[in-house]
Amino acid sequence: MTGRVFPGGTSVSRLSVYPDACTADGLAGGTPHVHLASTEAYLVTGGTGELHTLDTAGHRVTPLAAGSLVWFTPGTIHRAVNHGDLWVVVVMSNAGLPEAGDAVMTFPPSVIADADRYREAVALPVPQRRELAVTNFLRLAADPAALEQFYTQAVALVRPNVAAWREIWRSTVEASARHTGAVLDALEKGDGGHLRESALLSAPQSATDRLGMCGRLRTYDVRDGVTS
C-alpha cells in the first residue's frame, strides 16, 4: 500500500559524526560531497558542531547544536564538522536515490572524470578518501571556476544512473504524491473509505552501524512500515 511508506517518500537515519580530525585542515568530521537530485535535512539531537557548505553563493559555516534544523538543496556541497559528540537525525528526499549513488564526493578532477578511478577512491578507507576530498574541497572553496568544473564533471559521472533513479522516484515520491491526490479526490466526493485502512506503523533500525560519508549511520527500512 502506497499509504504505508514513510511521509513524502523520504528516508531517515541517525548519524554519529566522525570524531577524528582530517590532516588537510585539522577539522574533525565527514567527507564533503554533493547530491545532484536530493535535498537533505539535519535535525541535531545532541552535541555541537558546524555544517560547512559550498555553492555558487560561496563557502559558509553554520553552527550546529541540539535542536538545530537545517536543510540544503541539490548542488550544495556539504560537510559535517564535529566539535563534540555531534548526533544528527538525517532526512533525505527521494528515498533510495542517495543509496543508488546520488552523491559525488569532492575528489580531484582527474578522479571525477574517470568512473573507475572514482569507484576506487570511494572504496578507500574513510580517513584516506576524506583527505582526498577535503583537500580538493578547499581548492573548490577558493576558486569559483573550479566549482563550475566540479559541477559539470559530477553531472557527467552520474548521468548513466538517471534512468534507474527515475524508477526509484516513480515508486516512492511520485507514488506517494499520487496516493495523496487519490485521497483528495475521494474526500472531494465525500468518500472516506481510506480511513478504514488506517494503521500505526514502525520501522526497524539497522542492527549495526554503516560507515557513511559524514559519520556512522543507523538506518531505517521505511519502504513498507511494520504494523504495530
Side-chain angles (χ1 to χ4, degrees):
M1 291 173 56
T2 303
R4 295 171 63 98
V5 301
F6 198 69
T10 58
S11 63
V12 63
S13 58
R14 293 174 64 233
L15 170 67
S16 173
V17 178
Y18 293 125
D20 55 315
C22 172
T23 58
D25 61 3
L27 297 176
T31 300
H33 61 282
V34 68
H35 301 290
L36 285 86
S38 302
T39 293
E40 183 173 7
Y42 279 8
L43 173 59
V44 181
T45 58
T48 58
E50 296 171 340
L51 179 69
H52 288 215
T53 58
L54 174 64
D55 54 28
T56 56
H59 179 235
R60 284 170 288 190
V61 176
T62 303
L64 300 176
S68 297
L69 174 63
V70 297
W71 63 95
F72 33 95
T73 60
T76 304
I77 299 172
H78 53 281
R79 175 193 184 198
V81 171
N82 191 350
H83 289 334
D85 202 26
L86 183 61
W87 282 85
V88 178
V89 172
V90 180
V91 178
M92 292 289 307
S93 68
N94 303 320
L97 288 195
E99 293 79 5
D102 179 21
V104 175
M105 301 185 201
T106 56
F107 296 142
S110 60
V111 176
I112 302 290
D114 185 317
D116 290 334
R117 289 191 65 185
Y118 182 81
R119 282 191 290 269
E120 290 172 1
V122 170
L124 290 171
V126 170
Q128 290 177 242
R129 77 179 186 191
R130 180 178 57 188
E131 292 289 340
L132 188 64
V134 169
T135 298
N136 196 54
F137 173 78
L138 298 175
R139 183 182 74 89
L140 296 176
D143 184 358
L147 178 62
E148 287 298 324
Q149 180 190 26
F150 173 76
Y151 281 158
T152 299
Q153 289 187 308
V155 170
L157 182 68
V158 306
R159 187 178 179 185
N161 302 329
V162 173
W165 290 0
R166 190 179 300 277
E167 292 307 310
I168 293 171
W169 169 77
R170 282 175 175 155
S171 66
T172 56
V173 180
E174 184 182 41
S176 179
R178 288 187 181 278
H179 174 77
T180 299
V183 166
L184 294 176
D185 289 343
L187 289 172
E188 196 168 41
K189 298 173 184 176
D191 178 2
H194 64 284
L195 301 176
R196 280 76 178 175
E197 300 174 1
S198 59
L200 171 64
L201 305 166
S202 62
Q205 180 179 235
S206 58
T208 58
D209 290 343
R210 179 169 65 84
L211 297 179
M213 282 172 277
C214 279
R216 293 180 175 273
L217 293 170
R218 285 290 179 101
T219 59
Y220 298 84
D221 186 353
V222 297
R223 291 169 296 180
D224 189 14
V226 176
T227 303
S228 299

